[in-house]
Amino acid sequence: MLDTPEAVVEALRENHDRPHGLQRTVTAEELVEAAEVFDEPDTLVTALLELMTAYEFTGEQRKSPVVFARLLKLWDTAPKSFSQWEAHQVFWRFKWVTTSLLQVPEMPLDTVRGWIDTMRKRYEEAGHGMQPVAAMRHHVAAHTGTGVEDAYDLWATRPRTELSDCEACETRHHAWHRVAAGDDAGALDVWRPVLEGEQGCSEEPQMSQARALLPLLRLGRTDEARSHHLTGYRRVRGGTGTQHEVGLHLEFCALSRNEGRGLEVLAENRPLFEATGAPLDRLGFLTGVEVLLARLVEDGHAEAPVAGPPGRNWTAGELLGHVRAEADRLAAAFDARNGTTAVGDRRRERLARRPLLDEPLPLGLRTAAPARTPAGAAPAVAAGGSGAPEVPGDFVALVTEARRLARLGHPGDTRLWSRIAERLADGSAAHDDRLGPEDLLRAELAEERAYRLRQRDEDTESGAELETAAGLYEELGMPWQALAARARALAWTTGEDDADAGRDEAARVRLDAILREAERLADEAPLTGEKPGDAERAAGADVAADRVLAHLTVLYCAAYAAYQEVMRREPEEHGPVPERFERAVGALRAEAERLGVPHQAANARQFAADVAGRRGDVALAEAELRAALVDVEASDRPWRGSRPRALLAQIMLSRQEPAEAAELLHRALADAVRYDDADFPLAPTYSLLGHASSHLGDHAGAVRHLSEAAARFDAGGEHEEAAGVRLQLADVLVESGRQADAVAVLESLLSEESAAALDERMVAQIRLSLARGLRELEEYLPSAEEFLRLAGTVSGWEDDAPIRTLVAADTAVALVLADRWEAAEAAYGRALAAHEEAPNPPMIVRMAREFARLTATARGAEGLEEALAHLARADAVLDGVPEDAEGFAVWYERGEVHYRRARVLAEAERFEEALAEAEAAIGVHEGGGEQGELPRAESVRFAALVEGNGLGRTNDAIARLTTAAARCRKAGHPEAAHVLDALRQEYLARPRG
């Protein structure tokens, strides 16, 4: 019942703790009505201030001035009804009214300026400085585009007052002034304290993060832009009071070529289409939506389904028309009110912006796949590096260049063969006799199709294409090419598993027959010096080189088949399989060296390196790969170095040499891109590079490379691999102090679509990381909700029971941190029960310690016995764990229990007992050796606090601190010594009797 002022005030207090939103606003309106009936207006003043706050932060600026008018009337008629804080708020919120009036185009500009004059008069009468008034005049000038520089100078040169906006908000306005003047770099310099967390408030840094995205992109500072999108968007999503900022994030998605992410942001913010209380911010939101939709429509996706105003389904084209009409109308209304074109000009400037990157900026997020290129549209051709071949327009030149590259083994031939097939299929080209027999081109295209089919694991179809090619080569009198094609067919269709041993044996028999046929051909006709046949001459072939390559291809296929077979067996196995492998690889290497074809010798070394690595002979694997790279350099085929470099980098990482690994991986990636190697495994290589960068302490590089890897895995449909990379990315972000970024990455993995593509245990790991990340961000209730979902997932895991105990304990802690005591105590009981079935001592001990801490904090002296009972339970659990338990530092946990008990007792002013517990903690941590030095120092610090502040034994505390600080310095912990010295100096400065 709200029939007393006290009841209304209590309800106002509860409502103030709710997040901003419809429920808080409606309740605030109801509480104003309840407060109106009381004789004294004190409660009404409080209720009106709460309602105005609700309107301000939920995008209801139309209503805010009306509430303030009521407050101002009460201020004039009953000033004693205002507390000191409420009186301050009256003057503070004059600024809110100014910005609210600017939000509404129906409000005449003269009225806005008249209000600022009233503000100035009221400030003068109350003796307040004029800087906030100058700030309001600057806001009006910046909005209308008239007198901006003079208004800015008048504001910026005045000293701050107690009624000035907070430093963080003023920093935003200073920076935005520079952005408007075209000085992106200067703006970001001004923004630094906010963007780096030195300044902040309820609105910052999220408002500045949204505004800084465009300047960061324009300056190429993409790592920072990515981070501010990840963390900033989480703080503004779904907020009716932050719709302008949501619009800026949508624009960022479009300009960074992340339209898929933009569509997800749009879907998450669908309710904002119904938020009309702040028209100027609504215009900012709608314009951001329009930037995104215009990009989609321009790219041919007008029919793509998108999230729009509730009540119907929308396509991108339909929503674009709807949004454009309303936004044009709003912009025109503001310009009509202002008598300038400033608002419309800013909107047109945003709409004219083009993407600022050539490729999508990897965000590290799991997002829906972007819309496909519509049928009939020409696919974009990736720009190649300096070594990537051009695609000739003339068909004869096109085929001639493809053949030349194919003989070189240049990966760029793939694009050319694809173009040849396209042109023959669409009728834009026909066979030309200058290219030799048509069957030759058919054979070459069949081989290319076989290779593509092999990549898609369509081995039967691939083998059929190779048989087709072989038949054509035979008819053309090209036996070596026919043998090479048949050898590939056999090598590519064996070695997957041991399910069909008979099939594999038959393939080996056929491969042996091909090897014998190759020997016969080599005996009958030398590999070098023979005149070309008609087909070879017409194709412009170098017969000697081609036949050598075909001969080595046959040997390579035999080695590959033997390699696949040996890799399926146990590494230590002896017998015919490894012997066959050694013979095949030896033959390939020997012939390659004899015939002067070093790239095939490099292939043989790579096979040997792989097998050696699998057997644990890392030194041999490294030596073979380094030798392979020497062969590659000698081959004059630099594009063949990417794979051995990537393999060698893995070995360097295993040997804890990340610097060389990173260098190798950078070179491998650069060459793959430079030479247009579409088949090089870019995603795993970027993942390895991210791992190496992380080990080098290059967190920015690690984030960049892991984000790229995840995006590429997703593009290839490898969602489990992408999720694994994103878990690594989240770990790197946490290590670099960017917990909010990590949470954003993890949240993207748990969308309905994303989670459905993942294994249950992978989802559980992601949810655990997310729940703990949210806890670190002090978002305790969302953290508890994630832990509860996780508990439901693992409840049936009979094969991993200790995980259930872990999750139950973490859930209990999350719930108590979220101030859900009843649910927390129930979860606590479940954790203890789970521990009985599946012991997990570390989690139970830490849960008990945390409950002791929070119980003592929340309940004070009344909670003392309960807090001590939690710690007694922790002791009991530790008593049952061997001191040398693997993976569990019992000494540390025991010391922390003593330390926590000391703090609980000290809060209850039982100082002698607290000191005894602190000294017990010191003793236990001392037993931890070097690892115990830092927790020991903290226990010493607390013991000194108890002695000096609780027991009045300042001299004892000084002596204790002096000894401990010296010990810390000797142990190499200067920061801990500094903390102890600071407390010692504080005690020394006290007067002592």
Side-chain angles (χ1 to χ4, degrees), residues 386-389 401 403-414 549 599-600 602-603 606 628-629 631-646 667-681:
S386 60
E401 179 65 2
R403 286 171 172 168
R404 184 184 73 82
L405 293 178
R407 291 188 192 97
L408 290 173
H410 193 299
D413 74 326
T414 298
L549 290 176
H599 76 269
Q600 284 288 17
N603 287 337
Q606 286 182 66
L629 287 172
D631 287 335
V632 167
E633 292 298 324
S635 74
D636 199 26
R637 298 186 179 196
W639 49 84
R640 288 187 172 271
S642 292
R643 285 165 179 77
R645 284 192 179 89
R667 173 72 184 277
L669 287 165
D671 282 351
V673 172
R674 178 184 181 190
Y675 297 112
D676 200 23
D677 190 350
D679 299 327
F680 182 74

Side-chain angles (χ1 to χ4, degrees), residues 626-836:
R626 292 192 186 281
L629 287 172
V630 172
D631 287 335
V632 167
E633 292 298 324
S635 74
D636 199 26
R637 298 186 179 196
W639 49 84
R640 288 187 172 271
S642 292
R643 285 165 179 77
R645 284 192 179 89
L647 292 170
L648 181 57
Q650 293 181 57
I651 292 175
M652 292 299 99
L653 279 173
S654 72
R655 290 179 46 180
Q656 306 300 313
E657 296 184 29
E660 184 178 359
E663 183 180 347
L664 288 163
L665 292 166
H666 275 297
R667 173 72 184 277
L669 287 165
D671 282 351
V673 172
R674 178 184 181 190
Y675 297 112
D676 200 23
D677 190 350
D679 299 327
F680 182 74
L682 290 171
T685 308
Y686 273 112
S687 179
L688 279 173
L689 182 53
H691 188 61
S693 299
S694 176
H695 279 274
L696 287 169
D698 178 12
H699 290 118
V703 169
R704 188 162 54 249
H705 302 315
L706 290 172
S707 298
E708 182 73 31
R712 288 181 178 275
F713 274 127
D714 270 336
E718 299 175 89
H719 301 308
E720 287 279 353
E721 290 79 1
V725 169
R726 288 191 173 95
L727 275 173
Q728 295 178 50
L729 172 59
D731 287 341
V732 170
L733 290 167
V734 170
E735 288 172 13
S736 61
R738 291 159 60 184
Q739 183 72 68
D741 293 46
V743 164
V745 169
L746 294 167
E747 284 178 334
S748 76
L749 287 171
L750 291 177
S751 67
E752 184 175 346
E753 179 185 353
S754 300
L758 303 177
D759 173 76
E760 180 185 68
R761 290 183 181 263
M762 173 71 80
V763 172
Q765 180 59 58
I766 295 165
R767 203 175 294 285
L768 177 62
S769 298
L770 174 59
R772 289 177 169 173
L774 289 166
R775 185 174 64 197
E776 290 300 311
L777 292 178
E778 300 183 4
E779 296 182 27
Y780 297 130
L781 187 55
S783 171
E785 290 169 350
E786 290 298 336
F787 275 123
L788 287 168
R789 293 187 186 100
L790 179 58
T793 299
V794 305
S795 60
W797 288 10
E798 298 299 333
D799 60 332
D800 206 353
I803 291 292
R804 300 204 304 272
T805 307
L806 177 151
V807 173
D810 262 340
T811 303
V813 172
L815 286 165
V816 75
L817 286 169
D819 202 27
R820 300 296 196 270
W821 283 88
E822 185 175 347
E825 287 163 0
Y828 188 99
R830 290 194 297 274
L832 293 177
H835 177 67
E836 289 297 321

Side-chain angles (χ1 to χ4, degrees), residues 979-993:
V979 170
L980 296 172
D981 281 333
L983 182 56
R984 176 176 173 273
Q985 291 300 321
E986 180 184 328
Y987 283 156
L988 285 170
R990 290 184 184 179
R992 298 194 298 278

Side-chain angles (χ1 to χ4, degrees), residues 146-195:
T146 55
V148 177
E149 290 302 326
D150 289 344
Y152 178 78
D153 289 343
L154 187 63
W155 165 53
T157 56
R158 286 179 178 265
R160 285 173 48 78
T161 76
E162 64 174 353
L163 289 171
S164 297
D165 283 343
C166 78
E167 284 189 280
C169 288
E170 287 205 340
T171 295
R172 177 178 76 245
H173 294 307
H174 284 300
W176 198 239
H177 178 74
R178 294 206 177 195
V179 172
D183 182 9
D184 287 342
L188 290 168
D189 286 342
V190 172
W191 251 321
R192 187 195 57 76
V194 173
L195 297 179

Side-chain angles (χ1 to χ4, degrees), residues 188-497:
L188 290 168
D189 286 342
V190 172
W191 251 321
R192 187 195 57 76
V194 173
L195 297 179
E196 293 185 3
E198 296 173 14
Q199 297 175 357
C201 66
S202 62
E203 296 182 347
E204 291 295 350
Q206 60 267 29
M207 285 193 162
S208 288
Q209 287 176 311
R211 287 161 176 77
L213 293 171
L214 178 61
L216 287 167
L217 276 184
R218 285 195 293 223
L219 291 175
R221 292 163 60 173
T222 52
D223 289 343
E224 295 166 80
R226 177 197 299 111
S227 177
H228 291 310
H229 171 64
L230 294 180
T231 58
Y233 173 66
R234 286 191 73 249
R235 292 186 174 103
V236 302
R237 64 182 172 196
T240 53
T242 54
Q243 52 187 327
H244 177 65
E245 287 68 36
V246 172
L248 292 172
H249 282 279
L250 287 167
E251 179 182 300
F252 164 80
C253 291
L255 299 183
S256 65
R257 296 189 182 274
N258 278 284
E259 291 88 349
R261 166 67 170 168
L263 290 177
E264 291 187 351
V265 170
L266 189 62
E268 288 182 330
N269 292 276
R270 194 173 191 181
L272 296 189
F273 283 106
E274 298 181 301
T276 59
L280 186 58
D281 285 346
R282 179 173 178 78
L283 175 60
F285 168 68
L286 293 175
T287 302
V289 174
E290 188 175 346
V291 171
L292 174 67
L293 295 175
R295 288 288 314 138
L296 289 168
V297 171
E298 184 177 322
D299 285 347
H301 307 304
E303 300 305 313
V306 297
R312 58 161 287 187
N313 295 326
W314 296 87
T315 66
E318 291 167 344
L319 184 58
L320 176 61
H322 174 82
V323 165
R324 180 172 287 159
E326 183 181 354
D328 282 345
R329 178 184 60 77
L330 276 173
F334 278 111
D335 283 345
R337 189 270 301 270
N338 298 336
T340 69
T341 61
V343 173
D345 288 345
R346 285 192 289 270
R347 169 173 155 72
R348 285 183 285 274
E349 181 183 353
R350 288 181 69 183
L351 294 174
R353 288 172 185 148
R354 315 302 301 161
L356 296 167
L357 303 174
D358 293 331
E359 298 292 332
L361 172 65
L363 300 177
L365 301 172
R366 170 76 168 97
T367 59
R372 295 182 179 275
T373 303
V381 177
S386 60
E390 297 295 326
V391 180
D394 177 74
F395 188 69
V396 171
L398 176 62
V399 174
T400 302
E401 179 65 2
R403 286 171 172 168
R404 184 184 73 82
L405 293 178
R407 291 188 192 97
L408 290 173
H410 193 299
D413 74 326
T414 298
R415 259 192 317 132
L416 304 192
W417 288 118
S418 295
R419 186 61 183 144
I420 291 166
E422 289 170 6
R423 293 193 60 181
L424 289 172
D426 66 18
S428 63
H431 184 265
D432 190 300
D433 290 341
R434 288 175 292 173
L435 296 172
E438 185 174 356
D439 280 352
L440 174 60
L441 184 55
R442 289 173 56 205
E444 292 164 329
L445 289 171
E447 282 196 288
E448 182 63 24
R449 286 194 299 274
Y451 187 66
R452 294 298 136 210
L453 289 164
R454 162 68 175 168
Q455 288 186 312
R456 299 199 296 267
D457 295 324
E458 298 178 31
D459 293 339
T460 302
E461 295 83 353
S462 173
E465 290 287 355
L466 285 167
E467 285 296 335
T468 297
L472 290 168
Y473 284 131
E474 283 180 339
E475 291 176 8
L476 290 165
M478 301 172 70
W480 277 111
Q481 283 75 7
L483 275 183
R486 290 203 166 96
R488 284 195 185 98
L490 291 169
W492 289 354
T493 55
T494 59
E496 294 299 323
D497 53 51

